[in-house]
Amino acid sequence: MRPRVLVIEDNRLNLELVTDLLEAGGYIVDQARTAEEGLHMAHEALPDVILMDLSLPGMDGLAATKALRADPATGHLPVIALTAHAMMGDEKAALIAGCDGYMAKPIDTRTFAASVAGFMALANLHRTKKEAAN
Ligand code: MN
C-alpha cells in the first residue's frame, strides 16, 4: 500500500516541490497551508507520516506538533520537522516538541523522498520497541 503523507507548509512553492517529490516517490500526499488545517486533516486522514514546517502563520509547527502529541488519536503519528533555519537550536526545539526528525530547507531534491521513508521507518521502529517494553 502506498504510504500517505500530510505536508503542512505555508510556502506554496515549497509545498508544490515537496508534493511532486513525494508523489514521484510513491506517496499519496495531503496538503495543508496552516497548522490549524493540518491538525484537522491529521485527525481525518491519520497519515503514515507528517511533514511539519516549523514557521507557519498563526499557530507554528512546534505548537502544532505538541497538539498532535497531546491528542490520543494522533499522538503516535511520526512527525518530521521542516525548517529554513538550519540551526542546532531549532533541531533541539523540534525534538523537544515531539518531532521524530528534522530536515533543513532548502531540501535535497535527489534524496528527499528516501529520507522521509528513512525517518518514517525509524520512528515506527522506536514506537514498536517502546510498546514492546511496556
Ligand atoms: Mn513557513
Side-chain angles (χ1 to χ4, degrees):
M1 227 171 77
R2 293 166 70 193
R4 180 174 285 271
V5 55
L6 169 62
V7 183
I8 307 174
E9 164 68 86
D10 62 312
N11 182 289
R12 190 184 296 274
L13 288 176
N14 280 334
L15 182 59
E16 291 310 321
L17 174 62
V18 165
T19 297
D20 287 348
L21 291 170
L22 291 171
E23 285 181 348
Y27 292 80
I28 297 165
V29 181
D30 294 322
Q31 300 181 330
R33 301 287 298 275
T34 66
E36 291 82 354
E37 187 188 3
L39 290 174
H40 177 73
M41 291 176 75
H43 248 274
E44 295 294 306
L46 295 178
D48 298 297
V49 60
I50 298 171
L51 295 187
M52 180 76 78
D53 179 25
L54 292 187
S55 174
L56 294 165
M59 181 190 279
D60 69 21
L62 294 177
T65 300
K66 287 180 193 158
L68 286 168
R69 289 286 172 258
D71 185 331
T74 57
H76 63 290
L77 301 176
V79 178
I80 303 169
L82 285 176
T83 177
H85 318 290
M87 291 162 62
M88 288 303 286
D90 280 342
E91 180 167 8
K92 202 168 166 190
L95 298 179
I96 289 169
C99 293
D100 295 283
Y102 167 98
M103 294 172 85
K105 291 188 281 190
I107 58 169
D108 184 336
T109 55
R110 295 161 304 172
T111 57
F112 186 74
S115 296
V116 171
F119 275 121
M120 196 168 67
L122 205 58
N124 287 330
L125 185 67
H126 285 156
R127 280 195 181 79
T128 307
K129 274 192 187 165
K130 226 158 120 186
E131 280 161 21
N134 287 340

